[in-house]
Amino acid sequence: MAKLNFGGVEENVVTREEFPLEKAREVLKDETIAIIGYGVQGPGQSLNLRDNGFNVIVGQRQNSKTWDKAVADGWVPGETLFPIEEAAEKATIIQYLLSDAAQIAVWPKLKPHLTSGKALYFSHGFGITYHERTGIVPPADVDVILVAPKGSGTSLRRLFLEGRGLNSSYAIYQDATGRAKERVVALGIGVGSGYLFETTFQKEVYSDLTGERGTLMGAIQGIFEAQYTVLRENGHSPSEAFNETVEELTQSLMPLVAENGMDWMYANCSTTAQRGALDWKNKFRDAVKPVFKDLYSSVAAGEEAQRSIDTNSQPDYREKLDAELKELHDSEMWQAGRTVRGLRPESEGVEID
Ligand SMILES: NC(=O)C1=CN([C@@H]2O[C@H](COP(=O)(O)OP(=O)(O)OC[C@H]3O[C@@H](n4cnc5c(N)ncnc54)[C@H](O)[C@@H]3O)[C@@H](O)[C@H]2O)C=CC1
Ligand SMILES: CC(=O)[C@](C)(O)C(=O)O
Ligand SMILES: [Mg+2]
Ligand SMILES: [Mg+2]
């Protein structure tokens, strides 16, 4: 394990150099890995494992759209694709990749198949950390491990196919066999991770829930909406408001941040922009910090988890989420965005219905 310096703080990181794919295959050569669930992470992780030469099967509800998707992806019913309980029975490692709410519903059926020496794998610390709310309490004689790719399952697969990788964090909650560490690292490499960062189940879920509600998804849309609306209220056209709020950020400035950091992006903008951004960043920081503090408290108190459990356990949760996403899709800002995207120089032309 390499010790790397992150801004003055040393952390443990597993690299592919010290734990190459061949070693991962050796560690898992006698294991049957069952991927339970074929939503977003399921396909990414199972297909990467399969392409990397591991012994993988998929467990999914029959008569569902995602069962059909699994068949289309080359999983063969009765050979490599099974109903959930059958796959869990055959497995020595169970990768529990149902949605976090579905994990609660299916747990009573899964638990009997967690016999001594098996491993239970999660891609989120949710079910275990909030066990008082989820009821997910594994038996003491199984390994309980986590690999959480830091991005969408779609990106995990895409980056794998490009010969790259997506970094993940990993954690061990329970080491019953003495093999939890080698199993989790081998699985992390197998699913297509680049580097593996050490964490705990609780730290993973607290940071992940904060991040997705915060700057990664929730806060960013909130800030976009606020700026777009103020520009529109002051007579700016939709295209101008969209360009100055979103398009320039995603097309020109964020790639520079990704490449070399915020200071470098700033340095590549005008001194006028630099002066203003350096002055205003502190006002924004001070304005939103209390909101982030509320958010973290809500995560740590389990309130965010409870809200997610309550809403996503409803039978019509998907329709309700889709309706809210449609509202966002139909908003003037994102409709303007659609036209703007069609005007990117590399685009074929404007998207027209
Ligand atoms: N979506 C992503 O890219 C990421 C997800 N994760 C974590 O990975 C895990 C899996 O998440 P996703 O792939 O997003 O899940 P998902 O929301 O796409 O659902 C996965 C599967 O659950 C099945 N399912 C839903 N309700 C069910 C029920 N009542 N009974 C049986 N099956 C049911 C669906 O058919 C689907 O195949 C979660 O713990 C999530 O937090 C972690 C990182 C990123
Ligand atoms: C993609 C990811 O890691 C998220 C945003 O945390 C999630 O989908 O839960
Ligand atoms: Mg998440
Ligand atoms: Mg995440």
Side-chain angles (χ1 to χ4, degrees):
M1 185 132 53
K3 273 224 181 287
L4 298 184
N5 183 321
F6 293 85
V9 180
E10 296 240 304
E11 295 184 42
N12 291 325
V13 177
V14 177
T15 67
R16 277 188 284 195
E17 290 74 55
E18 65 176 291
F19 210 103
L21 188 54
E22 301 75 61
K23 187 166 167 189
R25 284 203 201 103
E26 179 60 28
V27 168
L28 301 177
K29 67 176 186 316
D30 297 326
E31 309 262 19
T32 300
I33 305 164
I35 306 290
I36 307 296
Y38 209 73
V40 183
Q41 281 297 321
Q45 297 196 25
S46 61
L47 293 171
N48 290 357
L49 281 166
R50 187 174 74 182
D51 289 352
N52 273 334
F54 294 87
N55 183 18
V56 198
I57 58 176
V58 170
Q60 173 57 33
R61 273 187 300 190
Q62 281 169 298
N63 305 317
S64 64
K65 267 195 235 158
T66 41
W67 174 278
D68 298 341
K69 179 169 155 41
V71 172
D73 286 348
W75 302 100
V76 181
E79 281 178 31
T80 51
L81 174 62
F82 301 93
I84 290 175
E85 286 182 74
E86 221 177 307
E89 178 58 37
K90 290 184 188 306
T92 56
I93 295 175
I94 296 176
Q95 294 197 190
Y96 207 18
L97 299 182
L98 297 177
S99 72
D100 297 300
Q103 287 176 21
I104 300 171
V106 174
W107 179 248
K109 284 197 234 159
L110 190 85
K111 200 175 169 192
H113 303 291
L114 284 167
T115 47
S116 183
K118 287 195 182 187
L120 176 62
Y121 164 117
F122 293 87
S123 282
H124 202 6
F126 195 104
I128 293 287
T129 303
Y130 299 113
H131 60 87
E132 282 172 8
R133 297 166 193 272
T134 64
I136 296 180
V137 180
D141 55 357
V142 301
D143 292 342
V144 181
I145 54 184
L146 169 144
V147 174
K150 294 288 107 183
S152 168
T154 307
S155 322
L156 184 72
R157 182 64 181 159
R158 279 189 191 164
L159 289 166
F160 175 83
L161 291 173
E162 289 170 20
R164 294 162 69 194
L166 185 67
N167 291 339
S168 302
S169 56
Y170 77 94
I172 297 165
Y173 179 74
Q174 198 166 280
D175 182 4
T177 65
R179 293 185 57 226
K181 177 74 188 288
E182 61 174 19
R183 274 172 146 178
V184 73
V185 173
L187 288 162
I189 299 294
V191 301
S193 307
Y195 292 90
L196 288 160
F197 301 102
E198 192 177 56
T199 187
T200 65
F201 274 62
Q202 193 200 70
K203 287 249 161 25
E204 193 284 332
V205 71
Y206 283 16
S207 59
D208 191 84
L209 294 181
T210 301
E212 67 202 15
R213 280 153 184 73
T215 58
L216 304 179
M217 295 170 71
I220 191 99
Q221 173 63 18
I223 286 187
F224 284 172
E225 267 176 53
Q227 175 168 306
Y228 182 90
T229 312
V230 167
L231 287 169
R232 290 288 287 132
E233 284 166 1
N234 283 284
H236 296 269
S237 66
S239 69
E240 189 162 65
F242 189 85
N243 277 327
E244 288 298 338
T245 303
V246 181
E247 188 71 357
E248 182 169 337
L249 180 72
T250 61
Q251 298 309 294
S252 160
L253 302 183
M254 276 298 157
L256 295 179
V257 177
E259 217 174 288
N260 237 341
M262 192 65 88
D263 55 322
W264 195 70
M265 184 270 265
Y266 277 20
N268 281 281
C269 291
S270 66
T271 49
T272 309
Q274 289 176 49
R275 181 68 270 134
L278 287 165
D279 290 343
W280 278 87
K281 83 172 177 59
N282 296 346
K283 294 191 190 176
F284 282 109
R285 180 197 58 208
D286 296 344
V288 298
K289 186 149 181 224
V291 184
F292 280 101
K293 282 182 151 181
D294 281 355
L295 166 58
Y296 195 87
S297 305
S298 181
V299 166
E303 288 160 15
E304 293 304 307
Q306 194 59 50
R307 172 152 168 76
S308 165
I309 293 167
D310 292 344
T311 53
N312 294 332
S313 300
Q314 305 291 326
D316 60 347
Y317 81 97
R318 183 65 69 186
E319 289 74 25
K320 287 193 170 142
L321 284 175
D322 286 348
E324 285 184 65
L325 292 187
K326 186 172 183 318
E327 211 176 294
L328 206 55
H329 176 89
D330 291 345
S331 66
E332 183 196 279
M333 176 166 68
W334 289 108
Q335 284 303 310
R338 199 163 165 260
T339 310
V340 170
R341 286 195 295 278
L343 296 173
R344 286 180 193 155
E346 77 278 11
S347 299
E348 291 286 305
V350 184
E351 290 175 50
I352 300 167
D353 279 324

